Amino acid sequence: MSAPTIDRIAQARTAAARESWAEAYGLLRAHDAHPSRALTADDLTILADAAWWSGHVDESVAARLRAHAAYVAGGDHRGAGLASWWLSYEYEGLGRPAAASGWLHRAHHHLDDQPPCPEQCFLAWTDAEEAAARGDHAAALAATRRMTRLALRSGSPDLLALSRQAEASVLLARGRRAEALALLDDAMCAVTAGELSGMFTGWLYCLALTQCMETADFGRAVEWTNAAMEWCAPPWTGRPADAAAPAGGTATDEGAAVAGAPASLPMTVPTGENPFRGVCRAHRVEVLDLLGAWALAEAEARQACREVPVDCLESAAAAYYAAGDVQRRQGRLEEAAASYAHAHELGRIPQPGLALLRLAQGRADAAVAGVDLALACRTDHRHDVLGRARLLAARTEVALAVRDVPGAAGAAAELEVLAGDVPLLRAMADTARGAVALAEARPESALRLLRRALGGWLELRVPYEAAQVRMLLAAADRAVGDEEAARLELGAAHAVFERLGAVPDARRAAALLTGGARRRLPGGLTAREAEVLRLVASGGTNRDIAHALVISEHTVARHLNNIFAKLGVGSRAAATAYAFAHDLV
C-alpha cells in the first residue's frame, strides 16, 4: 500500500480508538471501495463496528463476515471466535435466530478449547442468559461467575462491569434483591463515571434501565434514565463527559404523530448519532409518564419511534404503548386505540392499557377477557414484577367496575403478596386493597389502606395515581360521614387532574365536588334512562327496578333496550361498566 493509503487507515484506527465512528466509517469505507486495497481482519472488525454505530447494520454484518474469514485464514481462533459471537448477536437483533444459532455454535468451536481468554466472557454471558431463560438459575449463576473470573483475569473494566450486571440479573430472578442491587450499583458506577467504552456503556444503560422498571425500582430508574440521556445527547462522541445538552435534550413535535403508522419508523440511525438514544429515550418515556410529565412523555415517545434502529423495534413498541396510556387517561380514546394497535404490531401485548381503554368505552366483557388472558400468559412474575403488578391492579379495577368484588379481592390479594417492601409495588397493593375494602362496605379499613397508599405515591412523586387514591379516599370519608375531608380530597384530586389534562377524571371530580348538580348526561341518555342504568349498575333485576321506580317490567325492558342501543353495548355487565366509567353511579 502507498503511504497516503497507510495514513488513511492509521487515521481510521485512531478515530475508532477515540470512538469517532462516523469518521472511521467514512475513511475505511472509502478505502474498501477499491477491490485492490485489502483490509486486514482487525481493520474489517473496525469497519463492522463503525458501520453499526453509524446505523448501517447490514454493512456491519457484511464486514464482520469478511473479518471472520480473514481471522480463520490467519489461524486466529480468538479473533474468529469473537467475530462469530458478534455475528450471532447481530443476527439475533435482525430477527434471524437460525443464523444467530449457527454463528454461536461457531464461536464455541473457535473458543471452547482455548486457554482462558477475554473472548470467552461473551460465551459465558450467552450461557447465563440461556440458562436463565429455561429457569436453571444455578447454571446461570455459575456462568456469570465464570464470566467474572475471566473479566478479572483480563483486567477489562468493560467485561467486569458487564459480568456484575449479568450476575445481578440472575440474583434478581432468584429473589436476592439486596445482593443484586449492590452488584448493579457497582457496575453502574463505572458506567456513569465514564470508565467504559461506548458499546458497553450503551449495553449497561439499556440492561439496567430494563431491570429497574421490571423490578419496580423507580428511584434508580429516574436517576439512571437521566444519566443515560445525558450520555446520548448530542454532540455525542462516546463518553459521558462529552455530552453538552441537558438530560434528554429538547423534544420537539416535528414529524408524524405517535399514532402514525409503524411503517414510517426509520430502519437506520442517522450517521453520527448514538444508536442507543432511541432505546434510552423509550425508557425515559416510562419514567416521565409516572412522574406526570405527560406532554413531554408523548413528545419523547414520538422522538423515540424515529430514533430506534431496526434491531431494537421493541423499544418503539414500548414508546407507542406509553403514549397510548397518556392518551387514554386524557380521554383521547381513539388516539389511544391507535397507539395500542401500533404497539401490538411491533410485538408488544398492549395490556393492561387496552383493557382499561375498553372499560372506559363501556366494553366490560372485552376488558375482563383482555386482562385475564394477559395474566394467564404472564405466569413468571420474577421476570417482570412490575408488569404483572400492573395487570393485577387493572384486574382489580375492572372487576370492581363489573361488581365482581370476589374477583377484585383475589387480584388485590395476589398483588399484596407480590409487593413485599418495594415502594412502588406497595403503593399499588395498598390502592387495590383499599378499593376492595370500600366496595365491601368497610370504610374504616379502606381509609387506613388508602392513606398509606397516598403517602407512598406522594413520596414517589407519582401524581396521577395519588389523585386517583384521593378520589377513593373521598368516597371512604363520605361513607364515615366526614364531608369536609371528602371535599378536601376531591379538590386536591381535581387540581392534579386539571394540570395533567386528565379530562374524564377532572370532570368526575368536579361533579362530585358540586354535589351531583344537574349536568348533561352521557350517551344521549334521558334522566329516566339514567335512573334505570344506575339501578342496573347496583345489581337490580328488572323486577327490582320496576318496583323502585313504580313502573312495569315491560317499561323497564323498553328502557334497557334504548340504553343498550344508545351506549352501543350488549349486556347488563357492559352497561354497568359504562355507568361506573362515566360517573353515573
Side-chain angles (χ1 to χ4, degrees):
M1 292 187 291
S2 65
T5 297
I6 294 172
D7 288 343
R8 282 196 295 273
I9 292 177
Q11 290 172 10
R13 293 170 182 167
T14 301
R18 65 175 185 270
E19 298 190 339
S20 293
W21 295 112
E23 180 185 351
Y25 173 73
L27 289 166
L28 289 175
R29 191 166 183 266
H31 174 83
D32 197 45
H34 298 277
S36 61
R37 299 177 181 174
L39 290 173
T40 67
D42 288 344
D43 290 333
L44 285 166
T45 296
I46 293 174
L47 176 58
D49 292 342
W52 187 89
W53 281 103
S54 300
H56 306 288
V57 180
D58 289 341
E59 288 185 48
S60 174
V61 170
R64 213 173 299 279
L65 286 168
R66 292 167 59 197
H68 173 265
Y71 283 125
V72 170
D76 184 349
H77 281 283
R78 287 175 56 181
L82 186 57
S84 297
W85 186 90
W86 273 106
L87 284 164
S88 173
Y89 174 83
E90 290 186 285
Y91 277 126
E92 187 71 34
L94 291 170
R96 297 182 57 184
S101 177
W103 281 104
L104 182 60
H105 178 77
R106 282 200 177 186
H108 277 286
H109 170 75
H110 288 300
L111 295 172
D112 281 349
D113 294 332
Q114 295 293 312
C117 59
E119 292 80 4
Q120 292 168 347
C121 271
F122 295 94
L123 293 181
W125 187 26
T126 304
D127 289 344
E129 291 192 329
E130 290 179 346
R134 63 177 182 267
D136 188 348
H137 297 300
L141 191 59
T144 62
R145 289 178 175 169
R146 183 170 73 253
M147 185 181 176
T148 300
R149 290 193 299 271
L150 290 165
L152 288 168
R153 185 187 183 100
S154 73
S156 166
D158 284 342
L159 293 175
L160 184 58
L162 187 62
S163 72
R164 299 278 193 238
Q165 183 281 327
E167 185 173 350
S169 179
V170 176
L171 291 173
L172 281 170
R174 298 186 71 173
R176 294 160 62 177
R177 187 181 180 92
E179 295 175 70
L181 293 177
L183 282 171
L184 191 57
D185 286 343
D186 180 88
M188 293 307 292
C189 278
V191 174
T192 55
E195 297 171 1
L196 308 185
S197 66
M199 176 59 76
F200 285 80
T201 297
W203 269 347
L204 284 160
Y205 270 130
C206 292
L207 293 167
L209 291 173
T210 298
Q211 285 176 327
C212 286
M213 293 307 297
E214 288 181 349
T215 59
D217 193 330
F218 190 51
R220 284 180 172 84
V222 172
E223 182 179 343
W224 291 340
T225 298
N226 289 336
M229 292 310 298
E230 279 191 33
W231 176 67
C232 290
W236 180 81
T237 58
R239 300 286 180 176
D242 295 325
T250 302
T252 67
D253 291 327
E254 298 174 1
V258 171
S264 66
L265 292 172
M267 294 298 101
T268 60
V269 178
T271 299
E273 292 191 4
N274 187 334
F276 287 105
R277 187 187 303 169
V279 181
C280 291
R281 199 183 300 277
H283 285 295
R284 186 177 189 235
V285 171
E286 293 185 84
V287 170
L288 291 171
D289 178 25
L290 280 169
L291 291 174
W294 287 357
L296 182 56
E298 192 172 357
E300 289 284 77
R302 185 181 305 118
Q303 184 69 14
C305 290
R306 288 196 290 265
E307 291 175 341
V308 293
V310 67
D311 54 349
C312 295
L313 291 184
E314 65 276 6
S315 296
Y320 274 118
Y321 178 83
D325 275 354
V326 170
Q327 293 155 350
R328 170 177 56 80
R329 287 173 297 192
Q330 290 185 329
R332 299 153 55 196
L333 302 188
E334 290 185 5
E335 293 175 69
S339 293
Y340 290 144
H342 295 331
H344 184 262
E345 289 172 30
L346 292 171
R348 177 174 179 137
I349 298 175
Q351 295 290 4
L354 184 58
L356 295 174
L357 172 65
R358 297 302 179 226
L359 187 63
Q361 293 171 328
R363 297 172 56 185
D365 292 344
V368 172
V371 76
D372 281 351
L373 180 59
L375 277 167
C377 292
R378 196 190 295 261
T379 56
D380 184 6
H381 67 267
R382 293 170 298 181
H383 173 66
D384 184 2
V385 178
L386 182 57
R388 185 163 185 84
R390 283 173 163 163
L391 286 171
L392 289 169
R395 181 66 180 91
T396 304
E397 183 176 346
V398 169
L400 289 175
V402 298
R403 313 301 289 171
D404 177 15
V405 178
E414 184 180 344
L415 182 52
E416 168 70 17
V417 173
L418 195 65
D421 59 356
V422 180
L424 182 59
L425 300 181
R426 172 50 46 205
M428 294 173 70
D430 287 341
T431 301
R433 292 178 63 216
V436 169
L438 190 59
E440 292 174 338
R442 295 187 291 114
E444 292 83 4
S445 296
L447 283 169
R448 175 178 55 82
L449 289 164
L450 292 171
R451 283 170 181 158
R452 191 167 70 186
L454 178 60
W457 291 122
L458 292 175
E459 186 173 348
L460 289 165
R461 299 184 182 181
V462 177
Y464 179 75
E465 282 72 10
Q468 290 280 45
V469 170
R470 288 188 186 278
M471 297 290 286
L472 293 169
L473 275 169
D477 286 329
R478 281 182 168 167
V480 298
D482 192 344
E483 182 64 30
E484 183 178 4
R487 293 186 65 78
L488 286 172
E489 298 292 3
L490 289 171
H494 182 263
V496 171
F497 291 144
E498 285 276 302
R499 176 173 59 82
L500 294 175
V503 176
D505 292 297
R507 287 176 178 166
R508 184 162 58 99
L512 292 170
L513 272 170
T514 57
R518 289 183 61 85
R519 59 186 175 90
R520 191 174 186 179
L521 293 168
L525 296 174
T526 65
R528 174 61 86 178
E529 287 166 351
E531 284 183 294
V532 171
L533 181 55
R534 289 188 189 100
L535 291 169
V536 168
S538 300
T541 65
N542 284 14
R543 177 175 295 181
D544 296 333
I545 297 168
H547 179 75
L549 299 180
V550 196
I551 56 178
S552 69
E553 289 187 48
H554 175 76
T555 303
V556 172
R558 178 169 53 81
H559 282 314
L560 281 176
N561 286 334
N562 291 337
I563 291 167
F564 287 178
K566 288 182 178 181
L567 303 185
V569 300
S571 68
R572 296 172 84 94
T576 296
Y578 185 96
F580 276 90
H582 292 80
D583 190 37
L584 291 173
V585 180

